[in-house]
Amino acid sequence: MSGQMDKQAAVHDFWLTHVKDRWQHDLIEIDQRYREQKGSIESGLFDTFHALCAQAARQQEQGEKGEICTIYFSFLRTSILENRAAYRLDAYDENWFLDRTECSVVWEADFIFAPLFRRMAELETVKSSYARKITSMDIERIKLMEAIKYHLLTVEFVKSMVPVLLECQGYCQMAKSPEICLLAGEFRDQAEVLYAHPGPAEKQTKGA
């Protein structure tokens, strides 16, 4: 085989041996961590969401922002590469991505992503058995692919928190559109609806 084929075969074997389906074992750890830290985990998201809405309300009082139409939870690939599960929350008025007044906060879902980061660090210690055919860049690519699974778990967690989030003081005080929606996805990319009023939640893409 060519050197390139050797590389492809090595990556495939590495994935089958050390990565495939390993994420399923992390579910137990994630659930246990959530049970043990439930109060602080939920209050962390609640406080962050409140801070975003309170920031929007202040901007509205100063005439810098209109009614909030969209709150977007952005999954940040760059933070994953830095072993941080950072989500950027943005509040947009009717101008959507053209809203010139930035209103954003950062929330970290480390309780979900911690097992992924640990497993990826462990991969660095076993790559040497592949005679330099597996590089740190290969592991970064694997990390980003695997991270999508953990992102989906995060989306489900945030969905479960929506009824509580909508009761926070900041959200109640903030001026918002009757058709406000909460979305989650990659930054300015395809998004999943966490909450929409009126109408049922559904997947959609919103462009700039």
Side-chain angles (χ1 to χ4, degrees):
M1 286 189 292
S2 67
Q4 182 61 34
M5 287 301 294
D6 286 345
K7 164 74 172 181
Q8 292 175 354
V11 171
H12 183 63
D13 181 80
F14 185 80
W15 183 79
L16 288 177
T17 305
H18 301 288
V19 181
K20 184 182 179 182
D21 296 333
R22 296 294 180 93
W23 70 275
Q24 296 180 13
H25 302 293
D26 293 340
L27 297 176
I28 297 175
E29 179 179 340
I30 293 169
D31 182 66
Q32 180 178 353
R33 184 175 302 214
Y34 175 66
R35 291 175 183 273
E36 292 174 350
Q37 304 175 19
K38 185 175 186 294
S40 61
I41 288 171
E42 293 184 353
S43 64
L45 176 57
F46 183 90
D47 292 345
T48 302
F49 188 81
H50 165 74
L52 175 72
C53 297
Q55 182 183 156
R58 289 193 298 271
Q59 292 172 344
Q60 289 168 340
E61 290 175 357
Q62 295 166 4
E64 299 174 348
K65 188 181 287 287
E67 291 184 341
I68 300 304
C69 296
T70 308
I71 295 177
Y72 198 107
F73 289 69
S74 293
F75 171 63
L76 303 177
R77 285 174 173 260
T78 52
S79 75
I80 297 300
L81 293 176
E82 298 169 352
N83 291 328
R84 293 178 56 240
Y87 279 76
R88 172 173 166 160
L89 280 62
D90 286 274
Y92 298 106
D93 62 19
E94 66 277 5
N95 293 307
W96 187 226
F97 291 140
L98 298 180
D99 184 348
R100 295 183 178 181
T101 303
E102 180 178 310
C103 182
S104 67
V105 294
V106 174
W107 168 67
E108 298 199 9
D110 287 337
F111 80 100
I112 291 178
F113 284 82
L116 170 68
F117 298 148
R118 186 190 66 250
R119 285 198 299 111
M120 295 300 106
E122 291 170 354
L123 292 184
E124 288 285 346
T125 67
V126 300
K127 71 179 183 182
S128 58
S129 62
Y130 286 79
R132 298 184 180 179
K133 290 188 174 65
I134 303 298
T135 66
S136 294
M137 189 173 295
D138 294 320
I139 294 176
E140 285 187 351
R141 283 194 288 266
I142 290 172
K143 180 191 289 187
L144 291 175
M145 290 189 296
E146 288 289 285
I148 297 300
K149 302 180 180 72
Y150 298 78
H151 166 65
L152 294 177
L153 293 175
T154 305
V155 168
E156 291 306 310
F157 167 68
V158 177
K159 277 185 179 179
S160 73
M161 286 285 295
V162 165
V164 178
L165 298 180
L166 300 187
E167 295 296 324
C168 79
Q169 184 178 8
Y171 184 82
C172 295
Q173 292 178 342
M174 176 185 75
K176 47 197 168 290
S177 166
E179 299 181 355
I180 188 172
C181 63
L182 277 59
L183 305 174
E186 293 197 49
F187 187 60
R188 299 192 177 187
D189 202 342
Q190 184 172 350
E192 180 169 346
V193 177
L194 302 172
Y195 168 81
H197 181 77
E202 60 184 2
K203 290 185 179 179
Q204 70 178 45
T205 302
K206 301 192 73 170

